[in-house]
Amino acid sequence: MMNKQVCVVGLGRFGVTVARELYQSGHDVLAIDNDDSKIQDMLGQVTYAVKADATNESVLRELGVPDFDVGIVSLGLENIQASILITVLLKSVGIPFIIARAANELHGNTLERIGADKVVYPEMESARRVAHIDFNAGILDYMDLSPGSSISKIRPPEEMLRHTLDEVGLGGPSGKYGVVVLAIRRGRSHILNPSRDEEIQPGDQLIVAGRNDQVSRLYSSAQEVA
């Protein structure tokens, strides 16, 4: 995955873990919280750690937040109102991809309606897993196999639809991407160990195994498929 500029708002345990993971993965991370002690603890563990009021749009603009690629709103249960406001502000200043932490289903539905691209529920998902899902709506789920490798459930890029696995470079370890397609989820059914001649249909989800950088290349190189 290409290095991104990521803004993480809220440094509870969830936000701290996500910020550290992303920084250690090579991303530029701006961590924001209004608690000075939390900011002091993050110094040296992210690119920038700033004490600031993220509910103030002018403050976000002064910090250069509109230029970031990804915004992560990681406030907890006690800050639902603030998390909604901050999500709206990050959307309004133009951040292209926003991940927001939800305390419950109602909160999550609200976050989706106001523009969050991905809503996560930390009680059910670990922060480490969230940090690796990638900032692409095509990667739907992720499970570690070993350092740098994973099984991922992905939504195939539109350019791959109505082409066979072999044609788009997903014919196995020797294919263009070096990624193995373990199964195709089509509606309620699964096609296990699909043949190289299986055609990718609209609505399909692919369960693939490979190195994380290989999976990410599916999206950066999709435009080459014709």
Side-chain angles (χ1 to χ4, degrees):
M1 138 172 68
M2 293 178 60
N3 290 351
K4 304 280 188 179
Q5 287 190 302
V6 187
C7 173
V8 178
V9 181
L11 295 177
R13 284 181 297 177
F14 176 80
V16 165
T17 304
V18 171
R20 285 174 178 162
E21 283 287 320
L22 291 170
Y23 181 67
Q24 290 169 10
S25 297
H27 301 288
D28 290 326
V29 179
L30 166 64
I32 300 176
D33 199 286
N34 56 13
D35 185 324
D36 190 58
S37 63
K38 291 180 179 179
I39 293 301
Q40 292 299 318
D41 289 343
M42 287 302 288
L43 294 177
Q45 300 189 60
V46 293
T47 316
Y48 311 101
V50 180
K51 179 184 178 182
D53 177 10
T55 64
N56 186 319
E57 182 176 345
S58 62
V59 170
L60 295 177
R61 292 188 180 279
E62 287 172 15
L63 293 173
V65 169
D67 297 326
F68 278 64
D69 303 301
V70 180
I72 299 178
V73 184
S74 56
L75 281 72
L77 179 62
E78 68 281 3
N79 291 305
I80 289 179
Q81 186 174 349
S83 80
I84 292 171
L85 175 56
I86 292 166
T87 301
V88 170
L89 289 176
L90 294 183
K91 193 75 176 179
S92 69
V93 300
I95 288 189
F97 198 91
I98 298 171
I99 300 171
R101 173 188 181 179
N104 52 51
E105 189 174 351
L106 176 61
H107 184 203
N109 290 340
T110 303
L111 291 167
E112 288 178 348
R113 290 181 181 184
I114 61 177
D117 298 283
K118 193 181 292 287
V119 174
V120 296
Y121 300 82
E123 290 75 17
M124 295 176 278
E125 302 179 60
S126 72
R128 186 179 300 273
R129 182 173 163 221
V130 172
H132 286 285
I133 280 178
D134 203 340
F135 310 122
N136 193 306
I139 297 183
L140 305 171
D141 211 345
Y142 170 96
M143 182 179 71
D144 268 318
L145 283 179
S146 62
S149 296
S150 64
I151 294 176
S152 300
K153 179 167 69 175
I154 69 170
R155 182 182 295 111
E158 187 174 346
E159 293 84 352
M160 291 186 175
L161 301 181
R162 300 183 178 85
H163 293 274
T164 68
L165 294 175
D166 200 36
E167 286 172 344
V168 300
L170 292 175
S174 60
K176 174 180 177 180
Y177 299 102
V179 170
V180 177
V181 180
L182 303 176
I184 299 175
R185 180 177 179 180
R186 184 168 293 159
R188 295 185 177 182
S189 63
H190 286 78
I191 302 169
L192 300 178
N193 192 26
S195 74
R196 299 159 65 101
D197 296 324
E198 185 68 36
E199 189 173 282
I200 302 171
Q201 302 294 330
D204 280 358
Q205 295 176 1
L206 309 183
I207 291 85
V208 302
R211 294 202 319 267
N212 298 338
D213 60 337
Q214 294 171 321
V215 176
S216 293
R217 279 186 59 230
L218 292 177
Y219 295 91
S220 60
S221 303
Q223 65 273 16
E224 297 173 14
V225 179

